Amino acid sequence: MSGQELSEVLSISRSAVWKHMNELKKSGYEVEAVTNRGYRIINVPEALSEDAIRWGLETKWLGSTLHYHPTVTSTQNLAHEFARDGAEHGTVVIASEQTKGKGRMKRYWDSKANVGLWFSTVLRPHSLEPKNATQITLVAAVALANVMKEYGIPVSIKWPNDLFIGDKKMAGILTEMQAEQDQIDYIIIGIGLNVNHEEADFGSAVLEHATSLKVYTQDHYNLNTLFKSIAHEFEVQYERFIEHGFKPIKSDWEGYAYKMGEWLTVRAQGEWNAKLIGIHEDGALKVVDEKGQEHLLYSAEILWS
Ligand code: BTX
């Protein structure tokens, strides 16, 4: 856009436009200025910020309301507060660092500053029955896996909620729900994605089992850009799910499933061998035992290795 157009649209002087452009550059924006043509933003800054996320965000509703914080205890907790106060569907809480990142069942999520994407989204899927809420986790996993595929990263989804590169975890999804009787009030879906970690950035407790995009590819990724790709794909997959149901998501999910068709040990009423054959409509894991009998596993302990 030309400096003249900018000054007219914003009702500011040409020199004010120039000053603002310099401010943008100082904040890390890469701006190209071509004589007689104008300014063009080529790259957004590395560091997460509300402006840099909004710039070029191609979603209809996901992230329309966006809360960015440099440091929080957990974006999940903050998103619950916003949701209780009536936050709209698609509200996103994102942070550069979490000091008390949460996993499932009171486990923790290692969320070091500036190396990963730590965010929670408020969803209000009023047409979805509470018993099917777990399907949302699988929708998010498929969306994340699709984006990773676009980036050329060979990921698999480990049931129910982890993304793996090889045998190491690079992302986790936490779904929490507030419901009354047969109506979902809201769902908070939290995504943690290890992006620019070097191995030394992981805490000693997770180091052995964790990986990041950077550890895998040696490349550095712009967190703002990556977030926008994920937000867009999540919105697309969520709408597909609401419109067409779980079936298409289920088959995509199965295409990514970690150890699909392999024999695993199940620890539920004793220990037995089972072959992973897919997932059920309700998100349960479908396995077949050595006698050929099918079983659905909900929270059974699966010994993956
Ligand atoms: P989970 O319970 O499946 O995984 C937690 C387990 O994963 C931990 O016990 C630990 O062994 C391992 N772990 C912890 N941190 C990492 C890490 N950075 N990379 C790899 N492995 C790790 C998975 O729970 C769901 C995680 C959701 C995290 C998001 S971040 C945004 C939102 N806010 C929040 O507090 N949680 C969610």
Side-chain angles (χ1 to χ4, degrees):
M1 201 176 203
S2 74
Q4 183 61 39
E5 272 175 289
L6 279 169
S7 79
E8 280 168 21
V9 170
L10 300 171
S11 308
I12 55 177
S13 68
R14 290 290 295 273
S15 69
V17 169
W18 185 80
K19 266 192 209 150
H20 282 297
M21 285 301 163
N22 283 340
E23 288 300 319
L24 282 175
K25 284 183 204 162
K26 266 193 232 153
S27 323
Y29 285 82
E30 214 178 305
V31 182
E32 184 187 46
V34 177
T35 322
N36 296 329
R37 289 189 63 191
Y39 298 99
R40 189 162 71 109
I41 292 180
I42 301 173
N43 257 325
V44 293
E46 280 285 318
L48 282 175
S49 71
E50 200 170 321
D51 283 346
I53 291 172
R54 283 197 189 288
W55 174 260
L57 179 63
E58 287 173 0
T59 54
K60 288 180 271 179
W61 47 265
L62 206 157
S64 290
T65 305
L66 188 87
H67 301 275
Y68 166 74
H69 295 273
T71 302
V72 294
T73 50
S74 157
T75 57
Q76 205 73 1
N77 294 349
L78 212 52
H80 274 286
E81 280 177 32
F82 284 121
R84 281 194 293 268
D85 289 347
E88 62 173 348
H89 175 71
T91 297
V92 170
V93 181
I94 182 163
S96 292
E97 177 188 42
Q98 298 187 116
T99 53
K100 283 194 181 133
K102 295 199 293 187
R104 289 176 308 145
M105 295 173 281
K106 301 211 166 129
R107 292 195 283 249
Y108 77 104
W109 187 256
D110 188 306
S111 320
K112 196 178 173 203
N114 306 319
V115 287
L117 285 176
W118 327 123
F119 67 99
S120 301
T121 304
V122 179
L123 298 171
R124 298 191 184 273
H126 294 310
S127 59
L128 190 71
E129 290 180 56
K131 70 177 168 64
N132 291 330
T134 47
Q135 293 175 343
I136 300 262
T137 308
L138 309 176
V139 173
V142 164
L144 267 182
N146 285 348
V147 173
M148 291 303 111
K149 197 169 160 190
E150 265 172 47
Y151 276 69
I153 316 284
V155 287
S156 55
I157 306 173
K158 184 172 157 198
W159 182 80
N161 66 329
D162 292 329
L163 253 73
F164 267 48
I165 301 179
D167 288 318
K168 291 192 168 186
K169 196 186 308 203
M170 56 86 58
I173 300 166
L174 174 65
T175 307
E176 296 176 315
M177 172 174 68
Q178 184 65 42
E180 276 157 38
Q181 289 162 349
D182 50 2
Q183 169 87 37
I184 293 176
D185 182 11
Y186 65 80
I187 284 176
I188 308 285
I189 181 136
I191 295 181
L193 188 85
N194 303 327
V195 183
N196 288 324
H197 298 66
E198 308 277 356
E199 276 186 345
D201 290 324
F202 288 109
S204 54
V206 297
L207 176 61
E208 207 185 323
H209 304 290
T211 190
S212 72
L213 295 186
K214 184 165 188 192
V215 167
Y216 181 74
T217 63
Q218 304 300 313
D219 289 337
H220 188 86
Y221 296 83
N222 183 306
L223 293 176
N224 292 300
T225 310
L226 186 57
F227 171 79
K228 281 178 264 200
S229 305
I230 294 170
H232 180 255
E233 183 62 15
F234 184 33
E235 186 178 274
V236 168
Q237 295 305 326
Y238 178 87
E239 290 192 340
R240 180 174 170 233
F241 166 61
I242 295 296
E243 206 172 310
H244 302 289
F246 188 56
K247 238 186 188 152
I249 300 290
K250 173 176 146 41
S251 73
D252 288 355
W253 192 97
E254 287 173 341
Y256 286 118
Y258 179 69
K259 301 218 166 166
M260 184 69 150
E262 291 184 35
W263 286 92
L264 310 160
T265 309
V266 176
R267 198 182 276 158
Q269 292 164 336
E271 242 182 53
W272 40 284
N273 292 328
K275 185 161 80 173
L276 178 55
I277 56 168
I279 41 164
H280 188 250
E281 296 281 297
D282 62 1
L285 199 63
K286 226 193 296 181
V287 297
V288 61
D289 66 21
E290 284 169 329
K291 291 183 195 131
Q293 173 87 38
E294 252 184 51
H295 300 265
L296 294 181
L297 302 179
Y298 291 88
S299 52
E301 265 302 310
I302 294 159
L303 308 179
W304 291 94
S305 51

